[in-house]
Amino acid sequence: MAGFNWNEFYTVLKVKLEKAIKCTVGRYVTPKPADFPYCDVAIGDNSGGNYDLSGNEGSTNPLIVLSVYATGNLADSTCEKISNKAKEIMLSYGFQCRGGPMPMTNAADPSIVRWVGRYQRIFGSGDELEQIH
């Protein structure tokens, strides 16, 4: 894959978000209330682009989906706070916010509040994950 290292990205986001605000960060996990507040990090898409004539990828365009979960009287406020901190971190690495963060209806269990944000950035061949601001 040209430029984007999913494991490196996940590790950086997990460490920064858990250090900045009290929450558990994981990926591809259905959270249990004991883990709340919880931020799930998922890669929604990672389309390639700028192919050469040999079929080599010149860039990738990962779409990162962050879902924040909380319960209790302050759940909405907690989700908003965590989502905004996550957005700040994502923007500092050059990602653009493509949607949210905003509350989403949790049909499975209305007592659990969920906020979702979507972020995207192009990584060219040879690009590295660097904090730009």
Side-chain angles (χ1 to χ4, degrees), residues 92-108:
S92 77
Y93 280 90
F95 282 85
Q96 296 175 338
C97 184
R98 296 294 185 196
M102 61 188 185
M104 303 296 270
T105 304
N106 190 352

Side-chain angles (χ1 to χ4, degrees), residues 3-4 7 20 33 47 49 59 62 65 96 98 101 103 107 120:
F4 180 66
N7 288 323
S47 54
S59 66
V65 180
Q96 296 175 338
R98 296 294 185 196
Q120 198 164 30

Side-chain angles (χ1 to χ4, degrees), residues 20-41:
I21 199 159
K22 184 181 174 352
C23 72
T24 303
V25 178
R27 58 181 166 181
Y28 303 119
V29 172
T30 303
K32 296 176 177 40
D35 296 329
F36 293 158
Y38 180 84
C39 179
D40 183 69
V41 183

Side-chain angles (χ1 to χ4, degrees), residues 11 17-18 34 53 70 75-76 78 81 110 119 129-130:
T11 302
L17 190 56
E18 286 182 345
L53 294 175
D76 202 47
T78 300
K81 200 178 303 180
Y119 304 89
L129 185 66
E130 294 178 6

Side-chain angles (χ1 to χ4, degrees), residues 56-79:
N56 298 312
E57 235 173 18
S59 66
T60 58
N61 194 12
L63 173 69
I64 308 298
V65 180
L66 303 180
S67 300
V68 178
Y69 300 86
T71 56
N73 293 339
L74 300 174
D76 202 47
S77 173
T78 300
C79 284

